[in-house]
Amino acid sequence: VRQLLYPRECPFCGRVLGDVRDCPDCAEQLEALRRKPGIRLDPAQHYISNLAGAAAPYRYSGCVRRGILNAKYQGKPWRAVEMGNRLVQLAFGGELTVQYGELLPQPVPWAAIGYDLIVPVPASGKRRGYNVPERMAQPLAHALSLPLLPKALCRVRAGRHQAGLSLDERLANAAGAFRAQEPELVEGKRVLLVDDVITTGTTAAACAQALLHAGADSVFALAFATVEFGAPPDDTTPIHEDDE
């Protein structure tokens, strides 16, 4: 009944998929947006101080960008869950199957050997009613058999929206913006930090700083997409990640 009333759709274009695993309309563009051969971020291109490393399987452009924006601003949290399934596949080699019209990742517990728990980057506000990184992290927690701690981090101040700010302004805007709410849960733990997009890396670095201050052993950031720069951004030029 659920499948008939709310059939599964492509998270990138909205095409009804049902039992079809991959959208044929988006397959070519998604393949072109894949970051190959590796998905780790280059420290020379992104500010990943405090992080053990960072990775993202896609470039933030085209249908990937549209899918993330729809998940964030069009009230479609299920799209974030679908993209989280893709993270299981592309970051950890998990198999995806469709069961009763729902895309599900198969367990890959061996892939969690480097992590103890998953923490999503907190939402920038409560108006949306859900947190996109948390929804993306749900399939990862299921497939990796790791605890998901959505309240481990909180924002202690809202700050300005990062879009359009320079690297210096982003660093100042994110510094001290996060706090670990329950330090005993992250103390001595290896944390997988999940976000939707990594632009410069300043938000992920600020989250990592808060977790490390609370006693975390290490923090690795994983996002669905990242902005790739032709050259490392300078300190003062405004950065507009939402531009086509």
Side-chain angles (χ1 to χ4, degrees):
V1 171
R2 185 193 62 79
Q3 186 177 356
L4 289 173
L5 294 177
Y6 305 102
R8 178 172 156 262
E9 299 176 354
C10 172
F12 308 107
C13 71
R15 171 176 172 164
V16 174
L17 297 178
D19 289 329
V20 177
R21 195 188 75 167
D22 302 314
C23 177
D25 293 344
C26 295
E28 184 175 347
Q29 187 174 171
L30 285 171
E31 186 62 23
L33 291 172
R34 284 274 304 275
R35 300 181 63 246
K36 297 177 180 179
I39 67 171
R40 289 181 72 101
L41 272 57
D42 183 355
Q45 291 277 332
H46 297 84
Y47 183 84
I48 55 176
S49 175
N50 305 320
L51 291 161
Y58 287 108
R59 296 194 300 277
Y60 185 61
S61 183
C63 65
V64 169
R65 175 180 176 273
R66 289 193 298 272
I68 291 174
L69 291 179
N70 279 333
K72 294 176 72 169
Y73 302 118
Q74 300 299 320
K76 297 178 179 179
W78 58 266
R79 293 198 175 198
V81 176
E82 286 264 337
M83 287 184 271
N85 288 324
R86 304 289 176 182
L87 275 177
V88 174
Q89 178 189 39
L90 299 174
F92 296 102
E95 292 292 329
L96 301 179
T97 60
V98 179
Q99 299 178 19
Y100 303 106
E102 183 177 358
L103 187 65
L104 298 173
Q106 297 303 301
V108 282
W110 59 266
I113 192 170
Y115 311 103
D116 298 307
L117 52 86
I118 300 176
V119 174
V121 172
S124 57
K126 298 182 179 180
R127 182 172 55 183
R128 187 177 300 131
Y130 59 90
N131 184 16
V132 169
E134 179 184 347
R135 296 299 178 96
M136 285 186 174
Q138 288 170 352
L140 287 164
H142 172 74
L144 302 181
S145 298
L146 289 175
L148 173 60
L149 303 183
K151 296 182 180 180
L153 272 178
C154 69
R155 289 182 182 265
V156 295
R157 57 180 178 80
R160 299 163 60 190
H161 195 279
Q162 293 277 62
L165 300 183
S166 68
L167 179 59
D168 276 351
E169 291 171 328
R170 285 169 181 257
L171 287 169
N173 191 46
F178 303 93
R179 175 174 58 85
Q181 297 194 95
E182 299 176 299
E184 66 276 6
L185 297 180
V186 301
E187 186 176 359
K189 304 296 185 181
R190 299 164 300 173
V191 179
L192 178 62
L193 180 73
V194 176
D195 204 356
D196 49 5
V197 181
I198 291 177
T199 305
T200 57
T202 53
T203 297
C207 288
Q209 183 179 33
L211 291 166
L212 293 171
H213 182 72
D217 182 66
S218 63
V219 182
F220 188 95
L222 176 64
F224 190 75
T226 186
V227 176
E228 291 190 334
F229 302 97
D234 60 48
D235 294 340
T236 58
T237 302
I239 301 168
H240 301 277
E241 68 266 31
D242 285 348
D243 291 345
E244 286 284 7

